[in-house]
Every structure is written in C-alpha cells, then in structure tokens.
Amino acid sequence: AILAQVPLLGLHASLPPDHIWSSRHSSEAMARRYDSRTTTFSPEGHLYQVEYAMEAINLAGSTIGVLAEDGVVLAGEKKNTSKLLDQAKQHEKIFQLDDSMFCAVAGISSDANILVNRLRLTAQQHVYTYSESQPVEQLVTSICDYKQGYTQFGGLRPFGVSFLVGGYDVHHGFQLYHTDPSGNFSGWKAYAIGVNNNTAMQVMRQDWKEGLKVQEALELTAKVLTKTMDTASPTAERLEFGVVEKTPEGQVRFRMLKDAEINKLMADAAPKEGEEEKAQ
C-alpha cells in the first residue's frame, strides 16, 4: 500500500489548484476526527476540545482587569439585562472569594459557578488550617490544577470559563492573574478577556503606566469598556465593577461599585462630540 502511494506524491506538483484545494479540504475533514475527545492529540499536536473551549471565551462579554499601585480593579459586561432581574441576588461577572480576593469570569456561567464555589472553599480551608488568608498565587494555582485535570481524562470536558483573579497578600501585595480552560495561568498588570479583547489590550498597552492609582485604574477600565462594548453609552445596567483596595486605616477590603459611581465613570470616559469628529 505504501509503494502504491509513492507515484501520487510525485504527481502532486502537477495537479491543478482546484485539485490541491480539494486534497487539503479532505485532510482538514479527516483531522476533525481528533476533536471528539480531549485526550486525543492531533498529528499537529493540538488538543482541539481545549482550543474550542478557549474560543468560547472570546464570545463572552468584555472583562477587564487593571492592577494599580494601591489596589486591583475588575469589571465585566453583563449579557443578561432586564428590569425584572433582581440584581441584589444575582451576579454574572464579579464574585468575591474572600476578604482580600475576588474574580471576574468570562464564559459559561454554570461552569463558573462550580469553580467559584471551589475557589471560596479552598480559600476558607486555608484560613481554617493556617489562621491567615491564602496567598493569591497559591489559590490560582490550585484552581488551575483542577481545570487542567479536566483536559487529561476521558469522559470529561474542559471548563468553558476563564478567570481574572485580583487580590492582595502580605507576600507580593496587590496582584492580577489570568487563567484559561487549559489550566494555564499568568500574572498581568492589565488584561482583557471576552469579545474585542485585542482592542482592549491595545488601549491598555498605550495608557497603562507604573504607579497607577485606583481611581486612575477605574478611569482606564471605563475608557477600555467604551471601546469594546457594542453600545455608544454603556451604563451600570450592563456593567459590574469591583475593587480590592486599602482603606486609610491600612485594612484591605473588597467592594462593588454602586450604580451611580459606574454611571459617572462611563459618562466621563465616553468620547465627546468634538473628540469623535477629531478622531474621524
């Protein structure tokens, strides 16, 4: 059978373009058999189900994290908006993990709920055992180990959710981490996931600077969201903002921004008419 295929290899260069396209198309179709399981590598070394899970993140609402000198800001765009929805009982993007850590999610909400509960449990088990808050990186590592396990065993699917985790510990101060469905994580000074994340990253690369204060980080986050969201005047109805910061007394606290604060931030960040004309 191998010898029978040898002449065909020599003829490939003489085939017309439409035949070459057809052969490539058939090879792509054959490669699809490798995407049915997370445990099967393709000949090119891909784990397609894991890559598909990462692609799902890009369809989620914009989620932004910015590290400041005196705090961490996370914000997210909500997809479920209705005046009948009880916002006091439901959070879609921002979740508190303990007194000094919180996270923003992008992806499948039901997957996120399972992982958020696990993060909270892990953080409280550490406090119970050692009588101190868990270091941020240690908590991120634990959840990433758990997520990675779902890419390695048959019968499981990867969690279709990415996190931005912000927090404070006495070892490294304020920190911001990104995790993805593969179980990888990385530390960042500013990061964006979800729809239009490339645009968001471009804006933050230009505007983020060392020594940023929390208020400046909030303003930068609002500016990025005005660029990435599909509405000209985003309001608190579609946004959640959270901050971990130090109080004047030196205590670290988490707080969610009130609707009035969010609306003021977004109004100040919205491009004015004269600026729009100048940009055009």
Side-chain angles (χ1 to χ4, degrees):
I2 295 173
L3 290 174
Q5 291 175 8
V6 171
L8 294 176
L9 296 174
L11 291 172
H12 189 274
S14 62
L15 289 173
D18 57 336
H19 283 269
I20 295 174
W21 180 88
S22 178
S23 65
R24 285 177 183 165
H25 187 68
S26 62
S27 66
E28 288 174 7
M30 287 181 66
R32 288 181 183 170
R33 65 185 170 183
Y34 296 103
D35 71 0
S36 60
R37 299 182 181 211
T38 59
T39 53
T40 305
F41 281 97
S42 75
E44 294 83 21
H46 295 282
L47 288 172
Y48 284 113
Q49 285 297 324
V50 178
E51 292 183 13
Y52 295 162
M54 292 183 190
E55 283 300 315
I57 309 304
N58 294 330
L59 303 176
S62 295
T63 308
I64 311 297
V66 179
L67 182 64
E69 188 177 53
D70 54 347
V72 188
V73 174
L74 295 180
E77 174 191 3
K78 296 186 288 189
K79 290 296 187 181
N80 298 325
T81 56
S82 170
K83 66 179 182 181
L84 302 178
L85 194 63
D86 187 350
Q87 299 291 350
K89 297 180 180 178
Q90 186 263 358
H91 287 286
E92 184 183 332
K93 300 297 289 187
I94 308 292
F95 298 88
Q96 184 176 7
L97 304 178
D98 72 359
D99 293 338
S100 59
M101 285 186 277
F102 68 133
C103 69
V105 306
I108 302 172
S109 297
S110 54
D111 286 7
N113 290 334
I114 296 293
L115 293 175
V116 166
N117 285 338
R118 188 177 181 87
L119 281 163
R120 288 169 171 168
L121 178 62
T122 303
Q124 293 309 309
Q125 285 173 334
H126 189 279
V127 172
Y128 182 79
T129 303
Y130 300 104
S131 301
E132 64 179 18
S133 293
Q134 188 169 20
V136 182
E137 186 175 354
Q138 188 177 353
L139 181 63
V140 172
T141 302
S142 71
I143 200 64
C144 285
D145 289 347
Y146 186 68
K147 289 166 79 171
Q148 191 276 336
Y150 275 72
T151 71
Q152 199 167 359
F153 300 100
L156 305 176
R157 72 159 175 81
F159 289 98
V161 62
S162 279
F163 288 112
L164 292 178
V165 180
Y168 175 89
D169 61 48
V170 295
H171 307 287
H172 300 291
F174 292 101
Q175 298 154 72
L176 173 66
Y177 292 94
H178 165 246
T179 80
D180 66 34
S182 71
N184 282 328
F185 74 92
S186 48
W188 292 86
K189 296 174 180 176
Y191 201 74
I193 50 179
V195 68
N196 294 329
N197 59 78
N198 289 331
T199 302
M201 291 298 290
Q202 184 177 357
V203 174
M204 290 191 291
R205 273 194 295 269
Q206 292 173 350
D207 293 358
W208 189 91
K209 60 182 183 293
E210 292 286 349
L212 212 64
K213 299 298 183 183
V214 165
Q215 184 58 38
E216 294 172 304
L218 286 167
E219 292 167 1
L220 174 58
T221 304
K223 178 181 178 180
V224 171
L225 287 168
T226 60
K227 304 279 188 185
T228 59
M229 292 177 66
D230 57 3
T231 176
S233 54
T235 63
E237 184 183 6
R238 293 190 56 185
L239 293 166
E240 288 181 18
F241 274 72
V243 182
V244 163
E245 61 187 354
K246 272 192 175 179
T247 65
E249 295 78 28
Q251 296 294 317
V252 177
R253 65 166 183 174
F254 164 79
R255 70 183 181 94
M256 295 287 291
L257 267 65
K258 300 283 194 297
D259 286 357
E261 291 179 89
I262 296 174
N263 286 332
K264 184 179 186 309
L265 277 171
M266 300 312 295
D268 291 344
K272 307 297 185 286
E273 291 182 12
E275 293 177 8
E276 288 180 351
E277 290 172 6
K278 192 181 293 184
Q280 291 173 358

